[in-house]
Amino acid sequence: MISLPRWSGGVTFLASPSRYGIAVGAAVVAALVRLALERAWGAHLPFITFFPAIMVSAWLGGFGPGLVTTAVSATTAFYFWLVPVRSFWISEPTDWLGLVVFVSVGIVISAMNEVWRRGLFALAESEQRLAVTLASIGDAVLTTNNHGRITRMNGVAETLTGWRAADAIGRPLEEVFVVIDTHTPGKAENPVRRVLREGVVTSLSNMLLASADGRTIPIDDSAAPIRSDDGRTAGAIMVFRDITERRRSEDERNQRDLAARQLAAIVESSDDAIVSKDLESTIRSWNRGAERIFGYTAAEMIGRSIRVIIPDDRWSEEDDVLRQIRRGEKVDHFETVRRRKDGSEVPVSLTISPIYSPDGVVIGASKIARDISERKQVEAERAQMLLREQHARTEVERASHVKDDFLATLSHELRTPLNAVLGYAQLLTSAVLPAERIPHAYQAIQRNAQAQARLVESLLDLSRVLAGKLELSVEDITLSTPLEAAVDAVRPDAVRKGIVLDVSPRARALSVSGDPVRLQQVFWNLLTNAIKFTPSGGRVAVRAIPDGPHARVEISDTGCGIEADLLPYVFDRFRQAKGEAARVSGGLGLGLALVREMVHAHGGTVSAQSEGEGRGSTFTVRLPLAQTATLGRSNVSETGRSTAVGGESHADVLIVDDERDAREMLSLILTTQGATVRSVASASEALDAMRHRRPDVVLADVGMPEEDGYSMMRRWRALERELGYDRVPAVAVTAFATTKDRDRAVSAGFDWHVAKPIDLDELGRVLGTAAGFPRAPLA
């Protein structure tokens, strides 16, 4: 027997075999009861006990068992209690009517019970299905009556709320179902209340359910009204679900989406080219960095082979990369060259990584290409800088050797004439020199002193050149003036060596604008070199010819020539030829360097040619003609030349020098010219002499002990103002001969600057300007 769930009334519905047994049994029981009442009722009321039996049988068994009970009951009553009794014959018509009515009522009772039973069974079955459905459904379900009290809840609802159904049924919904609004702090309105109030379906999302066991569970919820037959709201049903996993999945999906968007933004904003491709080298993605570096847009490249940007001679690189990628290997910082859209090539550094499918199979590659043009340029510049540094170091080392050689040569060149001067001076003072050799001794002393003076002057000129303050006294002159003066100066040396001087007369027709003294120095240096390096019996030719807007002077010789490796550097400072010729000729290697600087200062050029050793050399000077002459240096000053003043001077001259020999020499020279000379050895003595009598000119040394000439001159000028004297012309006579020293002397109050050793011609020009001394007798 299968027992169905109980319904109101507690009736249990049975299976078919049992139903018919109960039907027969009910009829038998009713008959026995009627028999027991036989003495009291007799033949009266034959059917009275059988009506309950039919009802019970039909109630429990339905229409069929009810009919069975009706039939058995009618037969039993017909036999035992209808007259004649205990026979199947009815004598009275009223008994036939009673029997028919009994059977009819039994049929009606059975039919009515069948209809009721079927409805009740369907309801029970529906109830069972509902119970099974609610038990198996994944969502939580609660039902309430129209007062909001719980009438049913399934197992899922028990789990989520923390309440057992037995404890929750009958309680207000707010006690069991406590929700919190995540957007508004505090408890939210229970959705069932709105359903009961307004009769509408209500949905809530992203709510929190406060479980009885202390958990807080995110849920989605919907509630709907339960309608009665008259359409009124009889209660509500609420369905809700735990969305913890869904929310976690959504969060994970959102995180993945955010990461994907961030990655896409990074890829698009990257300055590097970021490209993906499959294992056939077909491009699948192409970012803005790739567009910037290679010039192709994404639309132009996606779907095409990556080999489009690879130079043809580098396709093997792509084959090697694909082999590594298929093996799951990464390519790190591979430096190569790629081709832009315009055909130009760009150096790049590649990092290539394999792309895997979800099942771990390599399906492509991601490539990052970085433009390393700037780095390559920096590396190239660094390499060039290193080469320059190495070259500079070599040049410094060479310059150090040159300096050492120069100092050694300078020592030799200074000591050699000094040796002759000191030697002859000692012979003259010891009176051991024969009378006929005395003039020769004086000439040797003068010649060597002049050589030493020229050496010092060359060093001073070099200092002026390095400072960019070479001074020129520029005027329009005939080129023959300095050229012939230079030729005359070197002619004795040429005659002494038996060298022929061949001079062109055309220089008289050429006019240039320049300093005749400096130009004479230029030609003297070139001629001196030519004679120095030309052997006896040789020839030196001088040609001066027009050359467009220039005058060209060529000085050629038949001497030893210039080595090919020296020729490009022949005008550099301290450069000298190697070998026997250099040792014989001597010199500091300054002459040609000064020639170049002085020629450039005049706006001209100088060059050297030689066909090699032993084949002579030619030096060519080009100077702008007078009508187009311009100075080659902006800081070269043009000063007018001093004019000589004839006649004797009776000026009062004060000489200030701590060296007695220098004072006596100047006193002797000036006294022979008719000057009144006073000489003192210190600045204080000079100021005392000034207070005693105002001189017409002051010649003062600068480098004096205790108080130097600069300080003395500043005090001198102040004393002039104090005594009311007119300004006294002052000449600084000093061995400090650089341009800086000259500027310092002028700043201290001197009017002129004359360098030691004193050039009497220059001193005569200065004194001629300062106090009217004649130039010629001093020269």
Side-chain angles (χ1 to χ4, degrees):
M1 182 178 69
I2 300 175
S3 295
L4 297 177
R6 289 185 176 275
W7 192 253
S8 58
V11 178
T12 302
F13 298 98
L14 305 175
S16 296
S18 300
R19 287 187 297 154
Y20 288 101
I22 291 174
V24 173
V28 171
V29 169
L32 292 175
V33 172
R34 181 64 181 84
L35 288 174
L37 297 175
E38 179 70 22
R39 291 183 180 182
W41 288 346
H44 296 289
L45 302 175
F47 302 108
I48 189 66
T49 60
F50 292 103
F51 284 107
I54 293 172
M55 294 183 66
V56 169
S57 176
W59 171 272
L60 296 177
F63 183 69
L67 291 180
V68 170
T69 303
T70 300
V72 172
S73 297
T75 302
T76 302
F78 179 32
Y79 180 76
F80 285 103
W81 290 289
L82 292 182
V83 179
V85 295
R86 291 177 175 78
S87 70
F88 292 102
W89 175 254
I90 298 175
S91 60
E92 293 295 330
T94 56
D95 290 337
W96 280 106
L97 179 61
L99 180 62
V100 171
V101 170
F102 173 76
V103 171
S104 299
V105 170
I107 293 172
V108 170
I109 291 173
S110 298
M112 291 179 63
N113 276 277
E114 178 67 16
V115 171
W116 176 84
R117 186 177 181 281
R118 286 181 179 277
L120 192 62
F121 182 80
L123 182 62
E125 188 177 35
S126 175
E127 180 73 13
Q128 185 181 28
R129 288 197 187 99
L130 177 61
V132 172
T133 300
L134 293 179
S136 61
I137 195 171
D139 292 340
V141 179
L142 289 175
T143 60
T144 70
N145 59 21
N146 60 344
H147 297 294
R149 293 184 176 271
I150 294 175
T151 58
R152 185 188 298 273
M153 64 188 301
N154 68 350
V156 179
E158 289 181 333
T159 301
L160 294 183
T161 62
W163 285 81
R164 292 188 305 111
D167 297 331
I169 292 175
R171 290 180 177 274
L173 182 65
E174 288 82 359
E175 292 185 14
V176 177
F177 187 78
V178 181
V179 291
I180 301 172
D181 190 344
T182 57
H183 301 294
T184 303
K187 295 181 180 180
E189 181 185 19
N190 198 297
V192 169
R193 290 302 173 187
R194 184 182 178 193
V195 171
L196 296 176
R197 183 175 64 250
E198 301 178 8
V200 297
V201 176
T202 302
S203 296
L204 298 176
S205 61
N206 293 321
M207 304 293 291
L208 293 178
L209 172 64
S211 176
D213 55 11
R215 293 174 298 152
T216 301
I217 304 169
I219 62 169
D220 276 352
D221 169 61
S222 62
I226 298 175
R227 303 288 185 184
S228 62
D229 293 339
D230 59 3
R232 289 183 298 175
T233 300
I237 183 170
M238 184 169 59
V239 180
F240 55 98
R241 64 191 59 85
D242 183 355
I243 61 171
T244 301
E245 289 300 322
R246 191 185 79 186
R247 179 173 288 182
R248 181 180 298 112
S249 298
E250 289 177 352
D251 290 342
E252 291 175 354
R253 184 171 60 254
N254 291 337
Q255 289 294 330
R256 288 194 299 270
D257 292 344
L258 177 60
R261 289 193 298 271
Q262 290 175 338
L263 178 60
I266 293 172
V267 169
E268 281 303 302
S269 62
S270 174
D271 289 335
D272 295 336
I274 302 178
V275 179
S276 64
K277 62 182 180 181
D278 60 23
L279 295 180
E280 303 303 321
S281 297
T282 301
I283 297 171
R284 298 305 181 192
S285 66
W286 185 268
N287 75 332
R288 295 183 184 274
E291 293 183 1
R292 181 185 60 80
I293 293 175
F294 299 114
Y296 293 97
T297 64
E300 291 175 314
M301 291 302 293
I302 292 177
R304 299 177 68 182
S305 174
I306 195 68
R307 298 180 189 271
V308 170
I309 63 171
I310 303 177
D312 297 346
D313 59 347
R314 292 180 179 267
W315 278 21
S316 61
E317 295 178 355
E318 177 66 8
D319 299 331
D320 293 339
V321 166
L322 288 176
R323 279 193 290 271
Q324 290 182 257
I325 292 299
R326 288 189 176 97
R327 294 196 299 266
E329 298 174 0
K330 182 179 179 182
V331 179
D332 266 328
H333 305 299
F334 172 54
E335 294 188 3
T336 183
V337 173
R338 290 297 179 256
R339 183 170 53 206
R340 292 190 177 101
K341 184 177 181 180
D342 61 8
S344 62
E345 293 187 346
V346 54
V348 295
S349 174
L350 301 179
T351 297
I352 308 171
S353 303
I355 298 175
Y356 294 93
S357 65
D359 55 359
V361 177
V362 177
I363 58 175
S366 173
K367 177 165 67 176
I368 299 176
R370 174 163 295 177
D371 183 352
I372 58 175
S373 300
E374 292 185 3
R375 197 194 79 194
K376 287 293 186 182
Q377 182 178 355
V378 170
E379 289 176 353
E381 291 175 352
R382 186 181 297 117
Q384 289 295 325
M385 185 180 299
L386 180 59
L387 288 176
R388 288 195 296 270
E389 288 178 354
Q390 292 173 345
H391 178 71
R393 188 178 300 112
T394 301
E395 285 298 310
V396 168
E397 292 174 355
R398 185 195 63 79
S400 178
H401 292 310
V402 169
K403 181 192 69 174
D404 293 340
D405 293 342
F406 167 72
L407 292 176
T409 303
L410 176 61
S411 175
H412 174 270
E413 294 298 316
L414 288 174
R415 289 175 182 273
T416 297
L418 185 59
N419 181 64
V421 171
L422 290 176
Y424 279 113
Q426 289 174 355
L427 291 175
L428 289 173
T429 57
S430 63
V432 298
L433 196 65
E436 66 274 10
R437 296 292 294 174
I438 292 177
H440 174 76
Y442 286 136
Q443 292 173 2
I445 291 173
Q446 184 179 15
R447 184 170 59 252
N448 282 278
Q450 289 174 344
Q452 204 167 41
R454 284 196 300 269
L455 184 61
V456 173
E457 187 62 29
S458 294
L459 290 172
L460 294 177
D461 283 341
L462 177 62
S463 174
R464 297 185 188 106
V465 167
L466 293 177
K469 295 184 178 181
L470 180 65
E471 294 185 356
L472 299 180
S473 297
V474 177
E475 58 186 66
D476 289 344
I477 60 172
T478 301
L479 186 57
S480 62
T481 301
L483 187 56
E484 290 177 359
V487 171
D488 291 339
V490 301
R491 193 179 300 276
D493 294 330
V495 171
R496 187 167 54 252
K497 290 186 66 174
I499 295 174
V500 176
L501 277 177
D502 182 7
V503 182
S504 167
R506 296 193 62 180
R508 298 182 182 277
L510 300 174
S511 178
V512 297
S513 182
D515 185 332
V517 175
R518 293 301 186 185
L519 290 179
Q520 178 183 340
Q521 188 177 355
V522 167
F523 299 135
W524 179 86
N525 271 313
L526 294 176
L527 286 167
T528 300
N529 266 9
I531 293 172
K532 183 189 301 183
F533 292 103
T534 299
S536 298
R539 182 172 178 273
V540 175
V542 181
R543 295 286 183 269
I545 58 176
D547 185 8
H550 294 82
R552 187 172 79 226
V553 178
E554 294 179 354
I555 299 176
S556 57
D557 61 68
T558 59
C560 62
I562 304 173
E563 300 170 1
D565 58 348
L566 178 62
L567 192 60
Y569 309 103
V570 72
F571 292 102
D572 289 358
R573 296 189 298 273
F574 313 134
R575 285 279 190 166
Q576 290 182 307
K578 299 178 182 178
E580 188 66 25
R583 289 193 296 271
V584 172
S585 60
L588 295 177
L590 297 178
L592 292 180
L594 291 173
V595 165
R596 180 178 61 181
E597 297 300 330
M598 291 180 183
V599 171
H600 286 178
H602 283 80
T605 61
V606 62
S607 59
Q609 297 84 33
S610 177
E611 296 183 6
E613 291 186 64
R615 307 186 68 176
S617 58
T618 300
F619 288 83
T620 303
V621 176
R622 287 181 174 83
L623 295 170
L625 295 174
Q627 62 269 24
T628 59
T630 57
L631 292 182
R633 294 195 177 191
S634 60
N635 59 354
V636 176
S637 63
E638 299 184 10
T639 61
R641 294 187 57 82
S642 303
T643 58
V645 179
E648 292 189 352
S649 173
H650 300 283
D652 185 355
V653 180
L654 178 63
I655 298 173
V656 186
D657 199 318
D658 62 306
E659 294 183 2
R660 186 181 64 181
D661 292 341
R663 292 198 307 271
E664 291 178 354
M665 180 193 70
L666 287 176
S667 297
L668 178 60
I669 293 173
L670 296 176
T671 301
T672 61
Q673 300 301 309
T676 300
V677 179
R678 289 177 292 165
S679 62
V680 295
S682 65
S684 59
E685 293 178 9
L687 295 174
D688 289 341
M690 171 71 168
R691 291 186 181 92
H692 180 68
R693 186 174 76 243
R694 176 189 180 278
D696 296 323
V697 180
V698 177
L699 296 179
D701 186 24
V702 171
M704 295 185 296
E706 296 182 3
E707 184 176 4
D708 61 24
Y710 303 125
S711 174
M712 182 206 75
M713 186 49 58
R714 284 191 288 270
R715 292 175 60 194
W716 182 284
R717 294 306 183 195
L719 184 58
E720 283 181 336
R721 292 190 292 272
E722 179 184 336
L723 299 177
Y725 290 164
D726 293 335
R727 182 181 177 91
V728 176
V731 181
V733 181
T734 176
F736 297 109
T738 65
T739 302
K740 181 179 179 181
D741 296 324
R742 182 174 301 180
D743 293 341
R744 185 180 179 189
V746 173
S747 298
F750 286 100
D751 299 297
W752 289 273
H753 181 280
V754 176
K756 293 181 179 179
I758 297 173
D759 184 332
L760 297 182
D761 188 47
E762 181 182 3
L763 180 60
R765 290 197 303 269
V766 171
L767 292 178
T769 303
F773 276 79
R775 172 185 177 186
L778 294 178

